């Protein structure tokens, strides 16, 4: 009897852990999809996507620092 109860408890724990992993995974994938959508919208409108914003142009200095200026209207359908 004790073995059956232990197996039932492990099954419940496994199901709960799978649900938690799925919930966290869904949130992460959703955020990545939204970021990709914004980036592609920016680039489709002729902009440059950098640090979560859409710019008209970016230049890279000799030291490797990226400087972006101007804003692009990247309003796209949701």
């Amino acid at each position: 009897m004790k073995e059956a109860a232990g197996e039932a408890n492990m099954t419940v724990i496994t199901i709960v852990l799978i649900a938690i992993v799925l919930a966290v995974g869904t949130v992460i994938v959703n955020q990545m999809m939204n970021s990709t959508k914004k980036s592609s919208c920016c680039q489709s409108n002729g902009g440059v996507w950098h640090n979560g914003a859409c710019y008209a142009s970016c230049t890279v200095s000799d030291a490797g620092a990226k400087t972006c200026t101007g804003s692009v209207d990247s309003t796209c359908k949701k």
Side-chain angles (χ1 to χ4, degrees), residues 12-24:
V12 170
I13 290 171
T14 301
I15 291 171
V16 169
L17 288 175
I18 290 171
I20 290 170
V21 168
L22 285 173
V24 170

Side-chain angles (χ1 to χ4, degrees), residues 22-58:
L22 285 173
V24 170
T26 301
V27 170
I28 291 171
V29 169
N30 191 27
Q31 288 176 349
M32 287 177 13
M33 293 294 288
N34 286 335
S35 177
T36 301
K37 184 171 100 175
K38 290 176 185 176
S39 172
S40 65
C41 176
C42 172
Q43 292 174 5
S44 294
N45 288 314
V48 178
W49 187 256
H50 179 64
N51 286 340
C54 189
Y55 297 97
S57 65
C58 291

Side-chain angles (χ1 to χ4, degrees), residues 1-14:
M1 187 72 171
K2 288 182 182 182
E3 288 181 25
E7 287 182 25
N9 286 339
M10 287 304 293
T11 301
V12 170
I13 290 171
T14 301

